[in-house]
Amino acid sequence: MTEVRYSKREDRHYLCAEGHAKGSQDVCAAVSALIYTLAGYLVNTDAWSEIDLDEAYAEIVFDSNDPKLDAVWEMSVFGLKQLQHTFGDYVRVTYIQ
């Protein structure tokens, strides 16, 4: 199972994903696509603070109050939540406080 944790406090955005969606290559690919798209956007707009992408692990941290970056963030988190809703046996998304 892929475990995703995320938070947004004021301008600080945080997302961490660990594990594989074992048993579903499609879900694993979808999770990876959303996370790599978010990371790529942040790198290309020079908005990232910390990005660590590795085998079965991703951590993204950035500070921003830019509405465009907030929209990209929300889209990524919403996409991950949609995957959890449809494929809950393979991915779990948790908001951390």
Side-chain angles (χ1 to χ4, degrees):
M1 174 175 286
T2 301
E3 298 274 350
V4 179
R5 296 176 309 282
Y6 72 98
S7 67
K8 181 178 181 235
R9 294 186 186 96
E10 298 180 17
D11 294 342
R12 167 80 26 147
H13 301 69
Y14 171 82
L15 184 137
C16 182
E18 294 182 273
H20 283 289
K22 291 182 182 172
S24 178
Q25 290 180 333
D26 292 341
V27 175
C28 193
V31 169
S32 295
L34 286 165
I35 291 171
Y36 274 79
T37 299
L38 174 60
Y41 186 87
L42 294 171
V43 168
N44 285 319
T45 57
D46 208 26
W48 59 282
S49 298
E50 179 183 332
I51 296 177
D52 182 6
L53 302 173
D54 204 350
E55 177 78 21
Y57 181 81
E59 185 173 35
I60 298 172
V61 180
F62 69 99
D63 296 314
S64 175
N65 60 2
D66 181 338
K68 288 181 184 178
L69 291 175
D70 280 342
V72 171
W73 168 259
E74 293 291 332
M75 183 277 313
S76 300
V77 170
F78 185 77
L80 291 164
K81 288 180 177 180
Q82 287 294 99
L83 287 172
Q84 175 186 257
H85 177 74
T86 306
F87 304 103
D89 290 341
Y90 302 104
V91 61
R92 181 179 0 200
V93 180
T94 306
Y95 176 77
I96 54 175
Q97 297 197 31

